[in-house]
Amino acid sequence: MAAYPHTFLWGASTSPHQIEGNNINSDWWAREGLMPGMEPSGDADDSYHRYREDMQLLADAGLNAYRFGIEWARIEPRPGEFSNAELAHYRRMIDTALELGLKPVVTLHHFSNPRWFAEEGGWLSPAATDRFIAYVTRATEVLHGVEWVITINEPNMMAMMVMLQESMRNGQLSQWQSPTVEGESDRDRIAASLPVPTAEFAAPFIDAHHAVRDIIRQRAGAQVGWSIANGAFYSTPENSTKLAEVRFLWEDIYLEASSDDDFVGVQAYSAQEVDANGLVPHPEHPENTAVGSAYRPDALGTALRHSAEVTGLPTLVTENSIATTDDARRIEYTTAALEGLEAAIADGVDVRGYLHWSLLDNYEWGHWGPTFGLIAVDRTTFVRTPKPSLHWLGKVAQSRGQNA
Ligand code: BGC
């Protein structure tokens, strides 16, 4: 068995919009009311008020880290108007995590934007980086004692979402497509067919990430990185040139932009083939997950190795899991994923922690159906019911060594 460093983080991840509820000043909230086929997030899991209970369950299970986010739309509900009360709310969350023995891993942007930011042009506006700098600068006021900060979650998925929005604006797409649920999503076809290079959509995120990195280091003293969706892409030898091309646009452009970061967040769920035409959509298969992706727990090992190789940085698994209603399947998937992680460590990959997605069943970006949580949540009473997988992961953490 691989030797885990004694400081290894064992925990779970969430994002604000997916669990807090009533994120009314965000662009997602606005979108949910307008787009056909989208379920609203509503009260979500009401974790905005129940975060202590959520963290307590995580700590009681024997885990030592919690990744959660600060919601920009709450901190800056109008341009230049910052809420001290909301900053204090997130400080209380950080203090609660520390009090419970959980290392906070804090994300500053996870898919959702303030509504006003989206209305002024969002990430394609020339003002985007300055707007992000202003928000992050205020957010750092409450980040003391936080060792791990993620600037932007999945800039590659964000770039894809901006691309989808542009496609809707110019009529290439008529209906809302969930960014994370396959089958109903045209994302692969669009990525392959759009005339605009994906690199243009990557640029604003890379620019914003670079602009805030030193602000966070200097003002909060934290290690800074971002978390990148890794597709664990593969091909036959004759398609290796296409594989390199697809990899570059989907992930390497972001991995290469991380080279001056302190770590890289690795997010892996499934693996996907690239053929001569590009990404091959996952075929229908009885083992496919509840979001339509292939059952590929080996994706984590591949993703860790590739991320480490391209960036040369320490890695932190910031998301990994499976959408399923069968908790035994979740345990089976995670067991195999951890085998891949351990093999990577044994081969010299520097892995600093494993944060499972997700602590709670939550709002899957337009849908409530696919569940990723270690804890089920009754969305009327908000009663939390830990699943066997939560205790299982806690036992794994305890038995394989953890934070001293
Ligand atoms: C995102 C999460 C999402 C998860 C499962 C990642 O793309 O960061 O917000 O819920 O995948 O689809």
Side-chain angles (χ1 to χ4, degrees), residues 56-259:
Q56 186 79 59
L57 288 168
L58 187 64
D60 287 352
L63 295 154
N64 66 17
Y66 182 41
R67 174 184 172 213
F68 59 92
I70 294 182
E71 182 59 51
W72 183 2
R74 292 190 196 273
I75 302 298
E76 192 179 5
R78 273 199 278 264
E81 191 177 314
F82 292 89
S83 166
N84 290 319
E86 295 289 4
L87 283 165
H89 168 81
Y90 289 106
R91 183 64 227 175
R92 278 194 297 276
M93 285 188 72
I94 293 165
D95 285 338
T96 305
L98 294 170
E99 179 196 319
L100 294 172
L102 299 169
K103 290 261 189 209
V105 176
V106 176
T107 312
L108 296 174
H109 185 281
H110 195 128
F111 289 0
S112 48
N113 303 296
R115 188 175 177 161
W116 60 262
F117 175 82
E119 284 167 359
E120 75 173 20
W123 288 96
L124 298 180
S125 154
T129 293
D130 285 342
R131 292 296 197 192
F132 193 57
I133 291 174
Y135 153 62
V136 170
T137 303
R138 290 304 306 265
T140 54
E141 289 172 14
V142 297
L143 289 180
H144 45 278
V146 175
E147 293 171 34
W148 302 85
V149 172
I150 293 165
T151 58
I152 299 173
N153 177 74
E154 296 190 347
N156 43 350
M157 291 291 281
M158 279 302 299
M160 204 254 310
M161 278 190 263
V162 171
M163 208 160 70
L164 289 178
Q165 280 155 17
E166 286 299 289
S167 309
M168 287 195 75
R169 241 191 293 276
N170 65 27
Q172 274 177 285
L173 246 192
S174 55
Q175 221 199 317
W176 159 254
Q177 309 285 329
S178 167
T180 55
V181 180
E182 292 186 31
E184 71 164 36
S185 168
D186 271 355
R187 63 184 183 177
D188 299 343
R189 181 181 64 75
I190 289 159
S193 68
L194 265 190
V196 189
T198 313
E200 283 189 36
F201 291 102
F205 298 102
I206 293 174
D207 194 47
H209 173 64
H210 288 170
V212 299
R213 197 165 44 195
D214 279 342
I215 296 172
I216 301 165
R217 284 181 180 135
Q218 283 155 17
R219 291 173 58 94
Q223 305 179 76
V224 186
W226 57 358
S227 50
I228 299 169
N230 193 295
F233 301 126
Y234 61 95
S235 76
T236 55
E238 54 276 19
N239 289 323
S240 59
T241 308
K242 190 69 182 176
L243 174 65
E245 207 179 289
V246 166
R247 263 188 175 157
F248 179 74
L249 287 176
W250 278 87
E251 57 199 33
D252 288 2
I253 193 169
Y254 306 91
L255 292 169
E256 286 172 15
S258 318
S259 57

Side-chain angles (χ1 to χ4, degrees), residues 302-314:
T302 309
L304 281 165
R305 288 168 198 269
H306 185 67
S307 304
E309 190 186 315
V310 178
T311 63
L313 294 172

Side-chain angles (χ1 to χ4, degrees), residues 309-355:
E309 190 186 315
V310 178
T311 63
L313 294 172
T315 60
L316 175 65
V317 179
T318 40
E319 290 184 24
N320 168 248
S321 70
I322 174 175
T324 179
T325 48
D326 177 354
D327 199 50
R329 188 80 167 146
R330 179 172 291 102
I331 294 175
E332 193 183 303
Y333 173 95
T334 312
T335 303
L338 289 175
E339 279 167 16
L341 178 150
E342 288 173 14
I345 294 179
D347 287 345
V349 177
D350 183 349
V351 188
R352 302 293 171 94
Y354 175 84
L355 305 173

Side-chain angles (χ1 to χ4, degrees), residues 14-15 18 67 110-111 153-154 157 179-181 187 227 229 267 269 291 319 321 323 357-358 362-365 372:
T14 57
S15 88
Q18 293 177 271
R67 174 184 172 213
H110 195 128
F111 289 0
N153 177 74
E154 296 190 347
M157 291 291 281
T180 55
V181 180
R187 63 184 183 177
S227 50
Q267 319 215 135
Y269 291 85
V291 289
E319 290 184 24
S321 70
W357 184 269
S358 176
N362 60 39
Y363 180 65
E364 182 58 23
W365 306 111
F372 287 87

